[in-house]
Amino acid sequence: MKKLLAVLLIVIMALFGLSACTNGNANGNNGNNGETSGNGIVGGNWNESVENGTTNPPVTTASDILIAYFSCTDTTEAIAKHIEAETKGALHEIIPEVPYTADDLKYYTNGRADKEQADSTARPAISGSVNDMEKYDFVFLGYPIWHGQAPKIIYTFLESYDFSGKTVIPFCTSHSSGIGSSDTNLYSLASNAEWVSGGRFASGTSQKTVAEWIDSLDLKFTPDVSSFDLANAKTAMRLP
């Protein structure tokens, strides 16, 4: 009788061991089958190889994206709102402490804008600031073209924050001028950032055109993690 009980005990222990092993393997497989972990990262470990030995970068979500813009005639604001609609990022208007009047903006009248653009040291004061600037990884920076360059208030903005580790994407608006050197002349003001070549938009540019531009940048972010599509995760995350 004792031998029979011993045999039964051994069998029961063996069955429990097999069950634990099976559950452990099932849980391990779930970490690599494209399921999303609690932090929104596929697989939960970006150091794991996915295809041909390559690894995936972390996903930047809407909460990591800032769209900062300066706009006097609403043209640049319209583009900024298109970007907001596409990325679900946070919108921030750069507001001058002393508003610009229509006369200030008239070209070749020796008005305020003319004087500021001609003065390399001009730094118009800004009203307000960005809350929690440190949390943003991507910064879309919008402005109108003034005398071929970004308005000097954009210089003020760039010198007001630490852009270390951030990616800055300039965009501008104009009636006819291209972006020219208006974006590259800003690089030295935030030399510790990673700069992406900017884009220029005309008045009335559609959201579809802006969306195509954003897509062409091949930035590694997903606009809305809450609607993450597991079946098309590779596309949604813009992975190579």
Side-chain angles (χ1 to χ4, degrees), residues 115 132 136:
K115 291 178 180 178
D132 300 323
Y136 297 108

Side-chain angles (χ1 to χ4, degrees), residues 54-140:
T54 60
T55 57
N56 294 336
V59 177
T60 296
T61 64
S63 62
D64 302 310
I65 300 169
L66 176 71
I67 305 111
Y69 70 94
F70 168 65
S71 183
C72 282
T73 62
D74 298 333
T75 303
T76 306
E77 181 178 61
I79 304 301
K81 288 183 176 180
H82 287 334
I83 297 173
E84 177 193 25
E86 291 298 316
T87 66
K88 303 299 185 292
L91 199 62
H92 174 80
E93 182 178 6
I94 300 170
I95 300 175
E97 192 170 277
V98 179
Y100 289 87
T101 67
D103 286 340
D104 288 338
L105 303 177
K106 289 180 179 178
Y107 269 21
Y108 308 116
T109 61
N110 200 35
R112 178 182 172 189
D114 285 350
K115 291 178 180 178
E116 289 177 353
Q117 293 304 97
D119 182 359
S120 62
T121 65
R123 297 293 187 273
I126 294 174
S127 176
S129 60
V130 178
N131 293 325
D132 300 323
M133 182 62 159
E134 63 277 3
K135 79 176 185 179
Y136 297 108
D137 294 325
F138 286 82
V139 179
F140 287 87

Side-chain angles (χ1 to χ4, degrees), residues 137-230:
D137 294 325
F138 286 82
V139 179
F140 287 87
L141 181 61
Y143 53 88
I145 292 289
W146 285 4
H147 291 289
Q149 298 297 320
K152 290 301 174 63
I153 196 169
I154 296 298
Y155 291 53
T156 307
F157 179 81
L158 288 170
E159 292 176 349
S160 299
Y161 302 96
D162 180 7
F163 286 85
S164 299
K166 301 183 188 300
T167 298
V168 182
I169 309 103
F171 65 96
C172 69
T173 58
S174 70
H175 292 295
S176 58
S177 302
I179 195 167
S181 61
S182 71
D183 59 341
T184 55
N185 283 344
L186 300 175
Y187 291 6
S188 63
L189 302 173
S191 58
N192 50 5
E194 178 181 347
W195 287 84
V196 175
S197 295
R200 174 261 176 189
F201 301 95
S203 176
T205 297
S206 68
Q207 184 172 322
K208 180 176 181 293
T209 297
V210 173
E212 290 171 349
W213 170 68
I214 294 173
D215 191 59
S216 73
L217 299 175
D218 196 29
L219 301 174
K220 306 299 181 186
F221 65 78
T222 179
D224 188 357
V225 174
S226 64
S227 61
F228 194 73
D229 185 355
L230 293 177

